[in-house]
Coordinates of all heavy atoms in Angstrom, one line a residue:
L22 N 175.4 122.5 70.2 CA 175.3 123.7 69.4 C 175.2 124.9 70.4 O 176.0 125.9 70.2 CB 174.2 123.7 68.4 CG 174.0 124.8 67.5 CD1 175.4 125.0 66.6 CD2 172.9 124.8 66.6
V23 N 174.4 124.8 71.4 CA 174.2 125.9 72.3 C 175.5 126.2 73.0 O 176.0 127.3 73.2 CB 173.1 125.6 73.3 CG1 173.1 126.7 74.4 CG2 171.7 125.6 72.7
I24 N 176.2 125.1 73.5 CA 177.5 125.3 74.2 C 178.5 125.9 73.3 O 179.3 126.8 73.8 CB 178.0 123.9 74.8 CG1 176.9 123.3 75.7 CG2 179.3 124.1 75.4 CD1 176.5 124.1 76.8
K25 N 178.5 125.6 72.0 CA 179.5 126.2 71.1 C 179.3 127.6 70.8 O 180.2 128.4 70.8 CB 179.5 125.3 69.8 CG 180.6 125.8 68.8 CD 180.5 124.9 67.6 CE 181.6 125.4 66.6 NZ 181.6 124.6 65.3
I26 N 178.0 128.0 70.5 CA 177.6 129.3 70.1 C 177.5 130.3 71.3 O 177.8 131.4 71.2 CB 176.3 129.4 69.2 CG1 176.5 128.6 67.9 CG2 175.8 130.8 69.0 CD1 175.3 128.5 67.1
K27 N 177.0 129.7 72.4 CA 176.7 130.3 73.6 C 175.9 131.7 73.5 O 176.4 132.8 73.8 CB 178.2 130.8 74.3 CG 178.9 129.6 74.6 CD 180.2 129.9 75.2 CE 181.0 128.7 75.5 NZ 182.3 128.9 75.9
P28 N 174.7 131.6 73.0 CA 173.8 132.8 73.0 C 173.5 133.3 74.3 O 173.4 132.5 75.3 CB 172.6 132.2 72.2 CG 172.5 130.8 72.6 CD 174.0 130.4 72.7
D29 N 173.1 134.5 74.4 CA 172.8 135.2 75.7 C 171.4 134.5 76.1 O 171.0 134.3 77.3 CB 172.6 136.6 75.7 CG 174.0 137.3 75.6 OD1 175.0 136.6 76.0 OD2 174.2 138.3 75.0
V30 N 170.4 134.5 75.1 CA 169.1 134.1 75.3 C 168.7 133.0 74.2 O 169.0 133.3 73.0 CB 168.1 135.2 75.3 CG1 166.6 134.8 75.5 CG2 168.4 136.2 76.4
L31 N 168.0 132.0 74.6 CA 167.5 130.9 73.5 C 166.0 130.6 73.9 O 165.8 130.1 75.0 CB 168.4 129.8 73.7 CG 168.0 128.6 72.8 CD1 168.1 128.9 71.3 CD2 168.7 127.4 73.2
A32 N 165.2 130.8 73.0 CA 163.8 130.5 73.2 C 163.4 129.1 72.6 O 164.0 128.9 71.4 CB 162.8 131.6 72.7
V33 N 162.6 128.3 73.2 CA 162.3 127.0 72.6 C 160.7 126.9 72.7 O 160.1 127.4 73.6 CB 163.0 125.9 73.4 CG1 164.4 125.9 73.2 CG2 162.7 125.9 74.9
T34 N 160.2 126.1 71.7 CA 158.8 125.8 71.7 C 158.6 124.4 71.6 O 159.5 123.7 71.4 CB 158.1 126.5 70.5 OG1 158.7 126.0 69.3 CG2 158.4 128.1 70.5
E35 N 157.3 124.0 71.9 CA 156.8 122.5 71.7 C 157.8 121.7 72.6 O 158.3 120.7 72.2 CB 156.9 122.1 70.3 CG 156.1 122.9 69.3 CD 154.7 123.0 69.6 OE1 154.1 122.1 70.2 OE2 154.0 123.9 69.2
T36 N 158.0 122.1 73.9 CA 158.8 121.4 74.9 C 158.2 120.1 75.4 O 159.0 119.3 75.8 CB 159.2 122.3 76.0 OG1 158.0 122.6 76.8 CG2 159.9 123.6 75.6
W37 N 157.0 120.0 75.3 CA 156.3 118.8 75.9 C 156.5 118.7 77.4 O 156.3 117.7 77.9 CB 156.7 117.6 75.2 CG 156.1 117.4 73.9 CD1 156.5 118.2 72.7 CD2 155.1 116.5 73.3 NE1 155.8 117.7 71.6 CE2 155.0 116.6 72.0 CE3 154.4 115.5 74.0 CZ2 154.1 116.0 71.2 CZ3 153.5 114.8 73.3 CH2 153.3 115.0 71.8
L38 N 157.0 119.7 78.1 CA 157.3 119.6 79.5 C 155.9 119.7 80.2 O 155.0 120.4 79.9 CB 158.1 120.8 80.0 CG 159.5 120.8 79.3 CD1 160.3 122.1 79.8 CD2 160.3 119.5 79.6
R39 N 155.8 118.9 81.3 CA 154.6 118.8 82.0 C 155.0 118.8 83.5 O 155.8 118.0 83.9 CB 153.8 117.5 81.7 CG 153.3 117.6 80.2 CD 152.8 116.3 79.8 NE 151.5 116.1 80.4 CZ 150.8 114.9 80.3 NH1 151.2 114.0 79.5 NH2 149.6 114.9 81.0
P40 N 154.3 119.5 84.4 CA 154.6 119.7 85.8 C 154.5 118.4 86.5 O 155.2 118.1 87.6 CB 153.7 120.8 86.3 CG 152.6 120.8 85.3 CD 153.1 120.4 84.0
T41 N 153.6 117.5 86.1 CA 153.3 116.2 86.8 C 153.9 115.0 86.3 O 153.7 113.9 86.7 CB 151.8 116.0 86.9 OG1 151.3 115.9 85.6 CG2 151.1 117.1 87.6
K42 N 154.8 115.2 85.4 CA 155.5 114.0 84.7 C 157.0 114.1 84.9 O 157.5 114.9 85.5 CB 155.2 113.9 83.3 CG 153.7 113.9 82.9 CD 153.2 112.5 83.4 CE 151.6 112.5 83.0 NZ 151.0 111.4 83.5
D43 N 157.7 113.0 84.3 CA 159.2 113.0 84.4 C 159.9 114.1 83.6 O 161.0 114.4 83.7 CB 159.8 111.8 83.9 CG 159.2 110.5 84.3 OD1 158.3 110.6 85.3 OD2 159.5 109.4 83.9
T44 N 159.0 114.9 82.7 CA 159.5 115.9 81.9 C 159.2 117.2 82.4 O 158.9 118.2 81.7 CB 159.0 115.7 80.5 OG1 157.6 115.7 80.6 CG2 159.4 114.4 79.9
A45 N 159.5 117.4 83.7 CA 159.2 118.8 84.3 C 160.4 119.7 83.8 O 161.5 119.2 83.4 CB 159.2 118.7 85.8
S46 N 160.2 121.0 83.9 CA 161.2 121.9 83.6 C 162.5 121.7 84.1 O 163.6 122.0 83.6 CB 160.8 123.4 84.0 OG 159.6 123.7 83.3
E47 N 162.6 121.1 85.3 CA 163.8 121.0 86.0 C 164.7 119.8 85.3 O 165.8 119.8 85.6 CB 163.6 120.5 87.5 CG 162.9 121.5 88.4 CD 161.5 121.5 88.1 OE1 160.8 120.6 87.8 OE2 160.9 122.7 88.3
S48 N 164.1 119.1 84.5 CA 164.8 118.0 83.8 C 165.6 118.5 82.5 O 166.1 117.6 81.8 CB 163.9 116.9 83.5 OG 162.9 117.2 82.5
V49 N 165.5 119.7 82.1 CA 166.0 120.1 80.8 C 167.1 121.2 81.0 O 167.0 122.2 80.4 CB 165.0 120.5 79.9 CG1 164.1 119.4 79.4 CG2 164.1 121.7 80.4
T50 N 168.0 121.0 81.8 CA 169.0 122.0 82.1 C 170.1 122.0 81.1 O 170.4 121.0 80.4 CB 169.7 121.8 83.5 OG1 170.3 120.5 83.5 CG2 168.7 121.9 84.6
I51 N 170.7 123.2 80.8 CA 171.8 123.4 79.9 C 172.8 124.0 80.8 O 172.6 125.1 81.5 CB 171.6 124.2 78.7 CG1 170.5 123.5 77.7 CG2 172.8 124.5 77.9 CD1 170.1 124.4 76.6
P52 N 174.0 123.4 81.0 CA 175.1 124.1 81.8 C 175.3 125.5 81.5 O 175.5 125.9 80.3 CB 176.3 123.2 81.7 CG 175.8 121.9 81.2 CD 174.6 122.2 80.4
G53 N 175.3 126.4 82.5 CA 175.6 127.8 82.3 C 174.3 128.6 81.9 O 174.4 129.8 81.6
Y54 N 173.2 128.1 82.0 CA 171.9 128.8 81.7 C 170.9 128.5 82.8 O 170.7 127.4 83.4 CB 171.4 128.3 80.3 CG 172.2 128.7 79.2 CD1 173.3 128.0 78.8 CD2 171.8 129.8 78.5 CE1 174.0 128.5 77.7 CE2 172.5 130.3 77.4 CZ 173.6 129.6 77.1 OH 174.4 130.1 75.9
N55 N 170.0 129.5 83.0 CA 168.8 129.4 83.8 C 167.7 129.1 82.8 O 167.7 129.4 81.6 CB 168.5 130.7 84.5 CG 169.6 131.1 85.5 OD1 170.0 130.2 86.3 ND2 170.1 132.3 85.5
F56 N 166.7 128.4 83.2 CA 165.6 128.0 82.4 C 164.3 128.7 83.0 O 164.0 128.5 84.2 CB 165.4 126.6 82.3 CG 164.3 126.1 81.4 CD1 164.4 126.3 80.0 CD2 163.0 125.7 81.8 CE1 163.3 125.9 79.1 CE2 162.0 125.3 81.1 CZ 162.1 125.4 79.7
V57 N 163.5 129.4 82.1 CA 162.2 129.9 82.6 C 161.3 129.2 81.6 O 161.4 129.3 80.4 CB 162.2 131.4 82.4 CG1 160.7 131.9 82.6 CG2 163.1 132.0 83.5
G58 N 160.2 128.5 82.1 CA 159.4 127.9 81.2 C 157.9 127.9 81.7 O 157.6 128.3 82.7
R59 N 157.0 127.5 80.7 CA 155.7 127.4 81.1 C 155.3 126.0 80.6 O 155.3 125.7 79.4 CB 154.9 128.5 80.3 CG 153.4 128.3 80.7 CD 152.7 129.6 80.3 NE 151.2 129.5 80.6 CZ 150.2 130.1 79.9 NH1 150.7 131.1 79.1 NH2 149.0 130.1 80.3
D60 N 155.1 125.1 81.5 CA 154.8 123.7 81.2 C 153.4 123.5 80.7 O 152.5 124.3 80.9 CB 154.9 122.8 82.6 CG 156.4 122.7 83.1 OD1 157.3 123.0 82.3 OD2 156.5 122.4 84.2
K61 N 153.3 122.4 79.9 CA 152.1 122.1 79.3 C 151.0 121.6 80.4 O 151.3 120.7 81.1 CB 152.3 121.0 78.3 CG 151.1 120.3 77.6 CD 151.5 119.2 76.8 CE 150.4 118.5 76.0 NZ 149.3 118.0 76.8
P62 N 149.9 122.3 80.5 CA 148.9 121.8 81.5 C 148.3 120.4 81.0 O 148.2 120.2 79.8 CB 147.8 122.9 81.4 CG 148.5 124.1 80.8 CD 149.5 123.5 79.9
D63 N 148.1 119.6 81.9 CA 147.5 118.3 81.6 C 146.2 118.5 80.8 O 145.8 117.5 80.0 CB 147.2 117.5 82.9 CG 148.5 117.0 83.5 OD1 149.5 116.8 82.8 OD2 148.5 116.8 84.8
S64 N 145.5 119.6 80.9 CA 144.2 119.8 80.3 C 144.4 120.1 78.8 O 143.5 120.0 78.0 CB 143.4 120.8 80.9 OG 144.2 122.1 80.9
F65 N 145.6 120.6 78.4 CA 145.9 120.8 77.0 C 146.2 119.6 76.2 O 146.8 118.7 76.7 CB 147.1 121.8 76.9 CG 146.8 123.2 77.2 CD1 145.9 123.6 78.1 CD2 147.5 124.2 76.5 CE1 145.7 125.0 78.4 CE2 147.2 125.5 76.7 CZ 146.3 125.9 77.7
T66 N 145.7 119.5 75.0 CA 146.1 118.4 74.1 C 147.2 118.8 73.1 O 147.4 119.9 72.7 CB 144.8 118.0 73.3 OG1 144.3 119.1 72.5 CG2 143.7 117.5 74.2
G67 N 147.9 117.8 72.7 CA 148.9 118.0 71.7 C 150.2 118.5 72.4 O 150.4 118.6 73.6
A68 N 151.2 118.8 71.5 CA 152.5 119.2 71.9 C 152.5 120.7 72.3 O 152.2 121.5 71.4 CB 153.5 119.0 70.9
Q69 N 152.8 121.0 73.4 CA 152.8 122.4 73.8 C 153.9 122.6 75.0 O 154.6 121.6 75.2 CB 151.5 122.8 74.4 CG 150.4 122.7 73.3 CD 149.2 123.6 73.6 OE1 149.2 124.5 74.4 NE2 148.2 123.3 72.8
G70 N 154.0 123.8 75.4 CA 155.1 124.1 76.4 C 156.1 124.9 75.7 O 156.4 124.8 74.5
V71 N 156.5 126.0 76.4 CA 157.5 126.9 75.9 C 158.6 127.2 77.0 O 158.4 127.0 78.1 CB 156.9 128.2 75.5 CG1 155.9 128.1 74.2 CG2 156.2 128.9 76.6
G72 N 159.7 127.7 76.5 CA 160.8 128.0 77.5 C 161.8 128.9 77.0 O 161.9 129.2 75.8
I73 N 162.6 129.6 77.9 CA 163.6 130.5 77.6 C 164.8 130.2 78.5 O 164.7 130.0 79.7 CB 163.2 131.9 77.8 CG1 161.9 132.3 77.1 CG2 164.3 132.9 77.4 CD1 161.3 133.6 77.4
Y74 N 165.9 129.9 77.8 CA 167.2 129.7 78.5 C 167.9 131.1 78.5 O 168.0 131.8 77.5 CB 168.1 128.8 77.8 CG 167.6 127.3 77.8 CD1 166.8 126.7 76.9 CD2 168.0 126.5 78.9 CE1 166.4 125.4 76.9 CE2 167.5 125.2 79.0 CZ 166.7 124.7 78.0 OH 166.3 123.4 78.1
I75 N 168.4 131.5 79.7 CA 169.0 132.8 79.9 C 170.4 132.5 80.5 O 170.5 131.8 81.4 CB 168.3 133.6 80.8 CG1 166.8 133.9 80.4 CG2 169.0 135.1 80.9 CD1 165.8 133.1 81.2
K76 N 171.5 132.9 79.8 CA 172.8 132.8 80.2 C 173.0 133.2 81.7 O 172.5 134.2 82.1 CB 173.8 133.5 79.4 CG 175.3 133.1 79.7 CD 176.2 133.9 78.8 CE 176.2 133.4 77.4 NZ 177.3 134.1 76.6
H77 N 173.7 132.4 82.6 CA 173.9 132.8 83.9 C 174.6 134.1 84.0 O 175.5 134.5 83.1 CB 174.9 131.8 84.6 CG 174.2 130.5 84.9 ND1 174.9 129.3 85.3 CD2 172.9 130.2 85.0 CE1 174.0 128.4 85.6 NE2 172.8 128.8 85.5
G78 N 174.3 134.9 85.0 CA 174.9 136.3 85.1 C 174.0 137.3 84.5 O 174.3 138.6 84.8
M79 N 173.1 137.0 83.6 CA 172.2 138.0 83.0 C 171.2 138.4 84.0 O 170.6 137.5 84.7 CB 171.6 137.6 81.7 CG 172.5 137.4 80.5 SD 171.7 137.2 79.0 CE 171.1 138.9 78.8
N80 N 170.8 139.6 84.1 CA 169.8 140.1 85.0 C 168.5 140.2 84.3 O 168.4 140.9 83.3 CB 170.3 141.6 85.6 CG 169.3 142.0 86.6 OD1 168.4 141.3 87.1 ND2 169.5 143.3 87.1
Y81 N 167.6 139.3 84.8 CA 166.3 139.2 84.0 C 165.1 139.1 85.1 O 165.3 138.7 86.2 CB 166.2 138.1 83.1 CG 166.3 136.7 83.7 CD1 165.1 136.1 84.0 CD2 167.4 136.1 84.0 CE1 165.0 134.9 84.6 CE2 167.5 134.9 84.7 CZ 166.2 134.2 84.9 OH 166.2 133.0 85.6
T82 N 163.9 139.4 84.6 CA 162.7 139.1 85.4 C 161.8 138.4 84.5 O 161.6 138.7 83.4 CB 162.1 140.6 85.7 OG1 163.0 141.3 86.4 CG2 160.8 140.4 86.5
Q83 N 161.2 137.3 85.1 CA 160.2 136.6 84.4 C 158.9 137.4 84.4 O 158.5 137.9 85.4 CB 159.9 135.2 85.0 CG 159.0 134.4 84.2 CD 158.8 133.0 84.7 OE1 159.3 132.6 85.8 NE2 158.0 132.2 84.1
R84 N 158.2 137.5 83.2 CA 157.1 138.3 83.1 C 155.8 137.4 83.0 O 155.2 137.3 81.9 CB 157.2 139.2 81.9 CG 158.3 140.3 81.9 CD 158.0 141.4 82.9 NE 156.7 141.9 82.7 CZ 156.5 143.0 81.9 NH1 157.5 143.6 81.2 NH2 155.2 143.5 81.6
T85 N 155.4 136.9 84.1 CA 154.2 136.1 84.2 C 152.9 136.9 83.9 O 151.9 136.3 83.5 CB 154.0 135.3 85.5 OG1 154.0 136.3 86.6 CG2 155.2 134.4 85.7
D86 N 153.0 138.3 84.0 CA 151.9 139.0 83.8 C 151.6 139.1 82.2 O 150.4 139.5 81.8 CB 152.1 140.5 84.3 CG 153.4 141.2 83.6 OD1 154.4 140.5 83.7 OD2 153.3 142.3 83.2
L87 N 152.5 138.7 81.4 CA 152.2 138.7 79.9 C 151.7 137.3 79.4 O 151.3 137.1 78.4 CB 153.6 138.9 79.2 CG 154.3 140.3 79.5 CD1 155.5 140.4 78.8 CD2 153.3 141.4 79.1
E88 N 151.6 136.3 80.4 CA 151.0 135.0 80.1 C 149.5 135.1 79.9 O 148.9 135.7 80.8 CB 151.5 133.9 81.1 CG 153.0 133.7 81.1 CD 153.4 132.7 82.2 OE1 152.6 132.2 82.8 OE2 154.6 132.4 82.3
L89 N 149.0 134.5 78.8 CA 147.6 134.5 78.6 C 147.1 133.1 78.7 O 147.7 132.1 78.2 CB 147.4 135.0 77.1 CG 147.9 136.4 77.0 CD1 147.7 136.8 75.5 CD2 147.1 137.4 77.8
P90 N 145.8 132.9 79.3 CA 145.3 131.6 79.6 C 145.1 130.7 78.2 O 145.2 129.5 78.3 CB 144.1 131.8 80.4 CG 143.8 133.2 80.3 CD 145.0 133.9 79.9
M91 N 144.7 131.4 77.2 CA 144.4 130.8 76.0 C 145.6 130.5 75.0 O 145.4 129.9 74.0 CB 143.3 131.6 75.1 CG 143.7 132.9 74.7 SD 144.0 134.1 75.9 CE 142.9 135.3 75.5
L92 N 146.7 131.0 75.4 CA 148.0 130.8 74.6 C 149.0 130.2 75.5 O 149.0 130.3 76.7 CB 148.5 132.2 74.2 CG 147.8 133.0 73.2 CD1 148.4 134.3 72.9 CD2 147.6 132.2 71.9
M93 N 149.9 129.4 74.8 CA 151.1 128.8 75.5 C 152.2 129.8 75.3 O 152.9 129.8 74.2 CB 151.4 127.5 75.0 CG 152.5 126.7 75.7 SD 152.4 126.6 77.4 CE 150.7 126.0 77.7
N94 N 152.4 130.8 76.1 CA 153.4 131.8 76.0 C 154.1 132.0 77.4 O 153.6 131.7 78.4 CB 152.9 133.0 75.4 CG 152.0 133.8 76.4 OD1 151.1 133.2 77.1 ND2 152.2 135.1 76.4
T95 N 155.3 132.6 77.3 CA 156.0 133.1 78.5 C 156.9 134.3 78.0 O 157.1 134.5 76.9 CB 156.8 132.0 79.2 OG1 157.2 132.5 80.5 CG2 158.0 131.6 78.5
G96 N 157.4 135.0 79.0 CA 158.3 136.1 78.6 C 159.2 136.5 79.7 O 159.0 136.2 80.9
I97 N 160.2 137.2 79.4 CA 161.2 137.7 80.2 C 161.5 139.2 80.0 O 161.2 139.6 78.8 CB 162.6 136.9 80.3 CG1 163.2 136.9 78.9 CG2 162.3 135.5 80.8 CD1 164.6 136.4 79.0
Q98 N 162.0 139.9 80.9 CA 162.5 141.2 80.7 C 164.0 141.3 81.0 O 164.3 140.9 82.1 CB 161.8 142.2 81.5 CG 162.2 143.6 81.4 CD 161.4 144.6 82.3 OE1 160.2 144.5 82.4 NE2 162.1 145.5 83.0
I99 N 164.8 141.6 80.0 CA 166.3 141.7 80.4 C 166.4 143.1 81.0 O 166.1 144.1 80.4 CB 167.1 141.6 79.1 CG1 166.8 140.3 78.3 CG2 168.6 141.8 79.4 CD1 167.2 139.0 79.1
N100 N 167.1 143.1 82.2 CA 167.4 144.3 82.9 C 168.8 144.7 82.7 O 169.7 144.1 83.1 CB 167.1 144.1 84.4 CG 165.7 143.6 84.7 OD1 164.7 144.1 84.2 ND2 165.5 142.5 85.4
L101 N 169.0 145.8 82.0 CA 170.3 146.3 81.7 C 170.8 147.2 82.7 O 170.2 147.9 83.4 CB 170.3 147.1 80.4 CG 169.8 146.2 79.1 CD1 169.8 147.0 77.9 CD2 170.8 145.0 79.0

């Protein structure tokens, strides 16, 4: 579906990605997109993790300053 519609930006939730497992952010690529994510810390319980796919060629900045320790969130800024 993503390849057919080709959105500029696609946000995903409940990724279950974990930095110390086989399901790290690097394992969920979509051709033609960069992935910015926040993996589920091992200390968190349940399904968590978020990510944003950004179409190659878009100028963006990951906004880690917007991440909050008590929330599973991430953000980007699109630079026009």
Side-chain angles (χ1 to χ4, degrees):
L22 185 62
V23 171
I24 301 303
K25 183 177 180 179
I26 296 174
K27 298 181 182 171
D29 290 336
V30 177
L31 175 68
V33 293
T34 63
E35 305 299 333
T36 63
W37 287 70
L38 300 176
R39 297 172 67 183
T41 59
K42 302 291 179 189
D43 308 357
T44 56
S46 295
E47 296 80 28
S48 68
V49 293
T50 60
I51 297 176
Y54 287 84
N55 297 312
F56 182 78
V57 170
R59 187 166 175 200
D60 293 344
K61 173 187 182 300
D63 287 331
S64 60
F65 280 37
T66 58
Q69 300 204 12
V71 294
I73 304 170
Y74 288 95
I75 306 104
K76 189 183 286 186
H77 283 167
M79 291 193 71
N80 186 4
Y81 70 92
T82 305
Q83 184 174 6
R84 295 290 309 269
T85 55
D86 59 307
L87 299 176
E88 294 178 358
L89 301 171
M91 68 290 239
L92 293 176
M93 184 52 51
N94 69 318
T95 193
I97 60 169
Q98 175 179 321
I99 303 295
N100 303 311
L101 302 175

